[in-house]
Amino acid sequence: MKNFRDLKVWHKAHELTLLIYKETKNFPREELFGLTSQIRRSCASIPANIAEGCGKSSNADLAKYLQIALGSANELEYHLLLVRDLEILDNEIYVIFEGKLLEVKRMLASLITKIRTDG
């Protein structure tokens, strides 16, 4: 069992989630139960799955939950692209989120590889 707060990737994912929640406050009200909810859910799922995986007893289980977190990151990537293309999200903010998300995805992929290699 690992402490998720010790993982830099968890901190980065948590920071991104906080930024996403702040930004989505400005989304149209009619999207509250649509895109806003989907974006928040997929983003919060990233650090939540990292934390859940750290609570498991094996590296195989941790890798599985990190893989789920990576899937949520891919889902978020699409939702951000969609709201940018719908002109709900400014391109400047999209570029910032895209950079932060890419960093999280790379860190997750690297950690998954390391855990699977170390056994």
Side-chain angles (χ1 to χ4, degrees), residues 46-118:
I46 302 167
N49 275 293
I50 295 168
E52 187 170 357
C54 286
K56 300 299 179 180
S57 60
S58 73
N59 280 347
D61 284 338
L62 173 56
K64 178 178 122 181
Y65 280 90
L66 294 175
Q67 192 67 53
I68 293 168
L70 186 56
S72 294
N74 285 324
E75 181 182 354
L76 176 61
E77 183 177 6
Y78 169 70
H79 289 309
L80 291 175
L81 180 64
L82 179 59
V83 292
R84 186 208 57 190
D85 290 351
L86 291 171
E87 299 179 351
I88 295 172
L89 183 66
D90 290 336
N91 191 60
E92 291 175 12
I93 295 170
Y94 169 79
V95 169
I96 292 168
F97 285 166
E98 181 184 42
K100 290 181 179 297
L101 182 56
L102 182 59
E103 181 181 21
V104 168
K105 287 175 61 175
R106 285 181 179 155
M107 292 173 78
L108 281 169
S110 176
L111 186 54
I112 291 166
T113 300
K114 182 180 183 331
I115 289 170
R116 287 184 175 158
T117 302
D118 291 350

